[in-house]
Amino acid sequence: MSGADGGARRSQAFRLPGRHGYAVEFSPYLPGRLACAAAQYYGIAGCGTLAVLEQNEAGICLFRSFDWNDGLFDVTWSENNEHVLVTSSGDGSLQIWDTADPTGPLQVYKEHTQEVYSVDWSQTRGEQVVVSGSWDQTAKLWDPTVGRSLCTFKGHEGIIYSTIWSPHIPGCFASASGDQTLRIWDVKTPGVKVVIPGHQAEILSCDWCKYDENLLVTGAVDCSLKGWDLRNVRQPVFNLVGHTYAVRRVKFSPFHATLLASCSYDFTVRFWDFSKPNPLLETVEHHTEFTCGLDLSLHNHGQVADCAWDELVKIYTPSCLAAPV
Amino acid sequence: MTSMLSRAVRSLPATSTWAVRFCTCSSHFQPKSKKTLAKNGVKNIVVVDGVRIPFLQSGTSSSCLSSLRGLLNRTSVPKEVVDYIVYGTVIQEVKTSNIAREAALGAGFSDKTPAHTVTMACISSNQAMTTGVGLIASGQCDVVVAGGVELMSDVPIRHSRKMRKTLLSLNRAKSLGQRLALVAKIRPDYFAPELPAVAEFSTSETMGHSADRLAAAFAISRVEQDEYALRSHTLARKAQDEGLLTDVIPFKVPGKDTVTKDNGVRPSSMEQMGKLKAAFVKPYGTVTAANSSFLTDGASAVVIMSEEKALAMGYKPKAYLRDFVYVSQDPKDQLLLGPTYGTPKVLERAGLTLADIDVFEFHEAFAGQILANLKAMDSDWFAQNYMGRKSKVGAPPLEKFNKWGGSLSLGHPFGATGCRLVMTAAHRLKKEGGQYGVVAACAAGGQGHAMIVELYPQ
């Protein structure tokens, strides 16, 4: 394979006219399918769209799209049904959609009093629950079959930007917040388990390592990514600098223990390997606006999707991930 | 859209949801401390320029108040424009209580310009500058000249108390008989003069003795102090050679030739310094003449204006004078810890952290004092038990600290050091490309001062 074009190869793009992408996620069931949560007017006002896209050799096409009357900020696929997804929106509600049913959401869960910026479906097989993190400084636990939240987690002193389930520890999730802390919660207790004062600035994103159950990474407004070991939270395991503006989202690779990707307001997506002395592997700059959404495919090794406020969703394989290790 | 958010426009009402979302997004834009410390409704006060005459070891030449004249020449500020003059000094000239007034007249300032003198030991010129800041901020003045002077070569030496009492009574004696009776009481011990000592009034302890105790309390070794002193002298010599000390103006000593450089800078070697004996706590003390600041004569002055006035007059200011704080603590055991107490307070007041500061200019009374302050600032235990803080402030990194020498090498005319610190901080910020500097000093009496200097945008 000729690989001299340096950077993304066979990059495919899809334009969502008038909609600015906030989050993308690959389907855990169908290799070519991904969902993108987008909002009108950069998410400040107006409505939102959930676009379910189908990607193949020829390009990306729109499989189904759903509209909502407020901006959609995050999307997560169901782990027990290949057609179901959940989105969170600016009016404080969560919507559960079925791609086979184009009429509207199956159910709307309205309990948060402010924008819900993050929603995640549990990654462990034992239970099927959803956690949402909101600007009202609470996180809520939901069972999609039950119309009300199961539990509300209070403790953050600032708006919650991201709530992510641990892929190893059942019932455990992490939340990143504007109060500059990363907090770890256990669904069995409403109080926080661990508080990590991670950065001197708002923490916008966090993710768990898929190969080490104690390792998390946070991305913050101070443009750095820090790794945290839950067994010793006093200092970070690694500190990755390189972004020139706030880090908006960070994701660990599903294939490599030490590889992660981050997207930032500096329009770039960067790939890092924190076990190397020079951790920055690659910088991909193919957007002309803030990149907000990022996901790494579970099916196609090395495939990455990202979305940005320039109305584009791009799927590509960066050269640092292309060669199988 | 990006540029709009990048400028972080916050003039929206906070009630509407979209304003909240907009503001949350724009709050993610915090490029490194480029924000300025200007406050709404408070005038920006700038230092237009500052000069000092070379600091000379006491006894080498007698310095005078030509720093004021030199300042006029350097800045070409018209004399009539100066609204006020404040000068600081420590060892007061006996013949006048208001040396600022006499110096102003001598330097050729308009006799219509009021002047007063302040004293706060080593931070006297800092006090002069902040008095000027206060006059301008309250809108009473627009242009203030502030500075400090110290003449150690001609200190007032008093008669002993008994002699003073006799002499004063002689004034009142009317008849020859009364006078003779008084004179007959004079004994040889009446003639022993009272020399001024650099000792605390409240504890009668010399500052060097206190510094030695401070160094011992913080376990600063003799070697560390000598190394620091060598650093100070070496950096000062380097700054002199590279022509970085642009605030120094040449000065003609009356009856002698012109001096152009501080004559106290003498980098030597660790072996040479190691041979010296302890100066204050004999024989086992660690503070020696090599790692202390020396008695110096010198003078300095700065012109402070409100920003509008400076720009209206066509000047390019060098720096903003931002938040400042004075602190006081125990003169017995914390005499020289002023910077440790002052720095966190002034950083809090300005909303900055230690990492935001690019330049540190601290007054170096003794190498042991500086090292003790750095250790105290780096100690959680000290912060929790003595300063009532939750955690340590953090010590300024040495790469940013006194890079052009300090009082140890350049000299310390007590009242004039503050202006030197501020001007050096401003020049270093410009040269090194920083934005914020912290100036801090300790002072006799157990007081201290810290001020934030912000580079004027170029």
Side-chain angles (χ1 to χ4, degrees):
Chain A
M1 267 201 268
S2 63
D5 55 7
R9 226 174 332 177
R10 290 177 357 108
S11 163
Q12 296 167 319
F14 185 82
R15 178 173 289 273
L16 294 159
R19 299 287 180 270
H20 306 111
Y22 263 79
V24 282
E25 203 147 307
F26 281 104
S27 163
Y29 283 90
L30 304 164
R33 187 156 295 185
L34 83 153
C36 175
Q40 200 183 18
Y41 302 128
Y42 305 99
I44 308 283
C47 57
T49 300
L50 170 62
V52 182
L53 307 173
E54 192 69 45
Q55 181 255 347
N56 52 29
E57 290 290 317
I60 309 177
C61 62
L62 179 66
F63 176 74
R64 183 84 69 214
S65 91
F66 300 96
D67 285 322
W68 187 250
N69 59 7
D70 206 323
L72 296 176
F73 294 137
D74 200 9
V75 62
T76 185
W77 286 92
S78 159
E79 293 284 327
N80 60 2
N81 183 330
E82 71 249 29
H83 300 299
V84 169
L85 345 82
V86 180
T87 53
S88 66
S89 79
D91 56 7
S93 62
L94 297 161
Q95 302 80 31
I96 184 162
W97 311 85
D98 186 333
T99 57
D101 177 5
T103 50
L106 297 177
Q107 188 150 5
V108 176
Y109 309 94
K110 176 119 173 70
E111 268 187 45
H112 281 295
T113 52
Q114 281 189 269
E115 289 79 347
V116 186
Y117 225 55
S118 168
V119 66
D120 197 30
W121 197 290
S122 58
Q123 300 288 308
T124 44
R125 288 279 167 259
E127 57 284 313
Q128 299 296 328
V129 282
V130 171
V131 70
S132 62
S134 162
W135 286 9
D136 63 8
Q137 305 180 7
T138 63
K140 281 184 194 278
L141 183 71
W142 310 82
D143 183 334
T145 56
V146 175
R148 283 197 319 273
S149 63
L150 301 177
C151 189
T152 300
F153 302 94
K154 295 195 213 257
H156 270 297
E157 289 154 18
I159 65 181
I160 298 181
Y161 286 105
S162 179
T163 44
I164 307 284
W165 286 105
S166 165
H168 299 277
I169 307 166
C172 174
F173 68 91
S175 60
S177 161
D179 66 4
Q180 307 176 0
T181 61
L182 173 70
R183 288 182 204 227
I184 314 294
W185 310 78
D186 180 352
V187 299
K188 294 184 271 302
T189 49
V192 63
K193 283 281 175 207
V194 185
V195 178
I196 304 173
H199 292 256
Q200 300 285 327
E202 298 190 331
I203 307 181
L204 299 184
S205 176
C206 61
D207 196 25
W208 295 82
C209 180
K210 316 293 190 262
Y211 290 86
D212 180 351
E213 63 179 26
N214 295 304
L215 187 63
L216 292 113
V217 64
T218 53
V221 170
D222 62 5
C223 322
S224 70
L225 293 109
K226 291 195 164 86
W228 304 93
D229 187 326
L230 287 180
R231 297 164 293 194
N232 181 3
V233 296
R234 302 188 74 216
Q235 60 271 330
V237 173
F238 57 80
N239 186 4
L240 307 173
V241 292
H243 279 295
T244 50
Y245 278 104
V247 177
R248 181 65 181 80
R249 202 173 295 259
V250 60
K251 282 264 165 85
F252 263 106
S253 161
F255 292 97
H256 307 281
T258 55
L259 234 143
L260 49 108
S262 60
C263 68
S264 155
Y265 288 157
D266 65 2
F267 309 166
T268 64
V269 177
R270 287 176 204 240
F271 297 90
W272 314 79
D273 183 340
F274 63 83
S275 63
K276 294 212 162 85
N278 286 327
L280 177 60
L281 297 174
E282 192 173 341
T283 302
V284 174
E285 188 163 354
H286 57 191
H287 281 290
T288 54
E289 276 295 342
F290 302 159
T291 37
C292 277
L294 179 68
D295 197 20
L296 290 93
S297 170
L298 280 165
H299 301 281
N300 303 324
H301 176 275
Q303 191 175 60
V304 178
D306 62 33
C307 69
W309 286 10
D310 56 4
E311 303 172 358
L312 289 175
V313 177
K314 290 202 183 209
I315 302 177
Y316 55 100
T317 307
S319 44
C320 60
L321 298 181
V325 171
Chain B
M1 181 64 189
T2 314
S3 54
M4 186 165 82
L5 279 175
S6 305
R7 279 197 292 271
V9 172
R10 289 176 178 274
S11 55
L12 304 162
T15 46
S16 54
T17 23
W18 54 270
V20 171
R21 290 193 203 169
F22 183 82
C23 288
T24 307
C25 191
S26 20
S27 75
H28 299 167
F29 285 87
Q30 293 173 11
K32 288 185 145 200
S33 264
K34 283 309 167 201
K35 65 178 199 258
T36 173
L37 290 175
K39 294 185 180 114
N40 272 341
V42 176
K43 283 191 188 198
N44 284 335
I45 298 175
V46 295
V47 60
V48 169
D49 205 350
V51 296
R52 62 180 180 86
I53 58 173
F55 288 174
L56 308 169
Q57 289 175 306
S58 295
T60 50
S61 350
S62 77
S63 74
C64 210
L65 309 148
S66 53
S67 66
L68 278 176
R69 204 175 287 131
L71 185 65
L72 278 181
N73 291 341
R74 171 81 80 98
T75 56
S76 54
V77 167
K79 298 177 191 150
E80 313 67 52
V81 163
V82 178
D83 295 318
Y84 209 95
I85 300 178
V86 189
Y87 240 60
T89 190
V90 177
I91 310 258
Q92 301 284 350
E93 165 63 40
V94 176
K95 289 192 190 157
T96 170
S97 54
N98 189 353
I99 191 128
R101 173 62 169 164
E102 310 310 325
L105 289 174
F109 278 91
S110 160
D111 56 0
K112 312 254 180 308
T113 308
H116 82 259
T117 310
V118 295
T119 188
M120 204 170 172
C122 312
I123 48 180
S124 297
S125 54
N126 302 86
Q127 180 55 257
M129 286 191 286
T130 54
T131 304
V133 167
L135 286 168
I136 299 175
S138 64
Q140 306 308 314
C141 295
D142 277 322
V143 179
V144 172
V145 167
V149 63
E150 208 60 53
L151 259 184
M152 298 291 292
S153 305
D154 190 17
V155 296
I157 299 177
R158 302 212 291 187
H159 281 290
S160 68
R161 174 168 282 278
K162 295 182 199 168
M163 188 59 140
R164 295 201 297 267
K165 200 155 164 243
T166 309
L167 289 171
L168 286 167
S169 315
L170 268 175
N171 266 345
R172 288 193 292 269
K174 299 286 191 295
S175 70
L176 185 62
Q178 281 172 336
R179 287 200 201 114
L180 280 175
L182 282 168
V183 169
K185 285 201 204 142
I186 294 179
R187 294 285 173 273
D189 64 342
Y190 277 41
F191 290 96
E194 260 180 22
L195 294 166
V198 188
E200 284 295 302
F201 188 85
S202 48
T203 60
S204 301
E205 186 186 21
T206 55
M207 197 179 272
H209 195 281
S210 186
D212 211 310
R213 283 196 304 115
L214 186 70
F218 279 87
I220 318 274
S221 67
R222 166 77 182 265
V223 169
E224 287 175 297
Q225 292 179 48
D226 284 344
E227 273 169 3
Y228 187 82
L230 184 61
R231 176 184 185 265
S232 181
H233 280 276
T234 312
L235 290 176
R237 173 53 52 86
K238 187 159 168 280
Q240 276 182 332
D241 291 340
E242 291 175 9
L244 295 171
L245 304 177
T246 52
D247 52 341
V248 180
I249 51 174
F251 146 71
K252 169 112 180 31
V253 179
K256 293 192 188 167
D257 52 0
T258 309
V259 281
T260 50
K261 287 166 83 154
D262 310 303
N263 69 358
V265 180
R266 47 186 197 287
S268 74
S269 66
M270 293 294 292
E271 299 76 40
Q272 291 276 58
M273 290 200 282
K275 290 183 195 159
L276 291 174
K277 297 204 179 77
F280 300 100
V281 176
K282 302 177 174 39
Y284 48 80
T286 49
V287 176
T288 67
N291 57 35
S292 315
S293 55
F294 45 89
L295 297 180
T296 323
D297 300 336
S300 60
V302 296
V303 174
I304 308 179
M305 295 191 193
S306 63
E307 187 181 12
E308 306 93 61
K309 182 78 179 185
L311 296 174
M313 292 186 68
Y315 289 113
K316 178 91 197 299
K318 294 205 164 165
Y320 290 109
L321 296 180
R322 294 297 190 199
D323 297 279
F324 60 86
V325 66
Y326 287 95
V327 290
S328 280
Q329 51 286 342
D330 173 20
K332 179 153 160 263
D333 289 321
Q334 299 174 350
L335 181 67
L336 299 166
L337 285 174
T340 303
Y341 284 89
T343 306
K345 272 195 176 169
V346 80
L347 287 175
E348 265 170 19
R349 200 175 276 194
L352 295 174
T353 62
L354 212 70
D356 297 322
I357 306 294
D358 306 301
V359 154
F360 290 90
E361 279 292 321
F362 281 22
H363 161 55
E364 294 167 354
F366 302 90
Q369 168 252 338
I370 284 283
L371 295 169
N373 273 281
L374 292 179
K375 271 201 181 171
M377 285 201 268
D378 209 22
S379 158
D380 277 317
W381 185 87
F382 189 87
Q384 284 158 0
N385 288 302
Y386 280 83
M387 293 168 63
R389 303 180 65 85
K390 281 186 260 185
S391 61
K392 65 184 181 191
V393 179
L398 273 181
E399 314 77 74
K400 298 182 182 173
F401 194 84
N402 291 11
K403 294 287 292 288
W404 294 356
S407 308
L408 275 176
S409 43
L410 296 170
H412 176 43
F414 305 145
T417 288
C419 293
R420 176 185 74 73
L421 294 172
V422 166
M423 288 319 298
T424 306
H427 290 154
R428 269 183 65 199
L429 283 171
K430 174 150 183 225
K431 182 98 198 311
E432 296 169 14
Q435 188 180 7
Y436 297 117
V438 164
V439 162
C442 51
Q447 305 200 89
H449 168 75
M451 178 152 80
I452 303 224
V453 172
E454 181 185 341
L455 181 68
Y456 196 83
Q458 299 299 300

